[in-house]
Amino acid sequence: MAFALRSLFLLCGISALLTGVRSLAKIPQKDNNCPKGWTRLDCFCYIFQSEAREFADAESVCQIIHGNLVSIHSNLENAFVLELIRAGGEEAQSFIGFHDSIMNGDYIWTDGSEQDFLNFDEDASPDPEPNSNTGDCVVMDESDGLWETADCTVAQTYLCITDVLSH
């Protein structure tokens, strides 16, 4: 069993390295090896949390359930997360794990992953980069999937991500 789990983890890692992207599959998988209520895409499990929380509290909840606030690394993953928000029935914004709370202007993912994809609303800022004047945390807008900065202390719905093998 341990060998099989290590092999699966190694396969996910090698596949990601070979393709150069985090998202490998084109269709979410149903027999997903994720905890109940989570949805799988590639080697990750995702869950929408409809109980609004401040950013730090949302990250704490995600960590309690063995994950982090969601990090997004491709158009596919962004579209997938958007559909999870829409399926949750929310008509607002939801926290993702991108923030500059530690150092102003230096945005990072709560899971420590590489910043290799951005999807900021160009109308909210002159360029598609984060604008920390409107807040240090980032939300995805349910209407279009674009990102905006927001106040970390305003409660929002949120999404968590975990590796398939973390649970």
Side-chain angles (χ1 to χ4, degrees):
M1 173 81 173
F3 175 77
L5 290 175
R6 282 192 295 260
S7 297
L8 179 60
F9 181 76
L10 181 61
L11 177 63
C12 288
I14 290 171
S15 295
L17 288 173
L18 291 175
T19 61
V21 296
R22 190 164 179 233
S23 296
L24 307 172
K26 299 297 180 202
I27 300 173
Q29 309 197 6
K30 278 299 183 194
D31 66 335
N32 61 21
N33 295 327
C34 291
K36 184 176 181 174
W38 293 65
T39 304
R40 181 175 176 178
L41 177 68
D42 302 321
C43 298
F44 301 94
C45 303
Y46 302 77
I47 191 165
F48 174 78
Q49 299 289 336
S50 61
E51 184 179 333
R53 294 183 181 272
E54 294 180 10
F55 186 87
D57 291 341
E59 174 64 14
S60 293
V61 170
C62 290
Q63 288 179 0
I64 289 168
I65 56 177
H66 307 289
N68 292 95
L69 282 169
V70 69
S71 57
I72 301 172
H73 300 277
S74 70
N75 279 318
L76 172 66
E77 194 170 19
N78 197 77
F80 179 75
V81 168
L82 176 59
E83 290 309 313
L84 289 176
I85 294 170
R86 288 177 174 166
E90 297 300 314
E91 295 182 18
Q93 300 174 324
S94 296
F95 280 128
I96 60 175
F98 208 42
H99 68 97
D100 77 340
S101 300
I102 297 170
M103 181 183 285
N104 194 29
D106 186 17
Y107 283 80
I108 59 172
W109 291 108
T110 58
D111 65 5
S113 60
E114 180 182 349
Q115 177 188 317
D116 54 2
F117 175 81
L118 295 174
N119 197 41
F120 281 93
D121 184 354
E122 292 182 24
D123 293 335
S125 178
D127 55 53
E129 296 294 326
N131 178 357
S132 61
N133 292 331
T134 56
D136 292 326
C137 295
V138 177
V139 293
M140 178 186 285
D141 192 296
E142 175 272 335
S143 66
D144 55 15
L146 294 175
W147 306 354
E148 298 174 18
T149 54
D151 185 340
C152 301
T153 61
V154 173
Q156 306 275 4
T157 59
Y158 57 99
L159 294 99
C160 301
I161 187 172
T162 189
D163 293 331
V164 169
L165 302 175
S166 293
H167 59 276

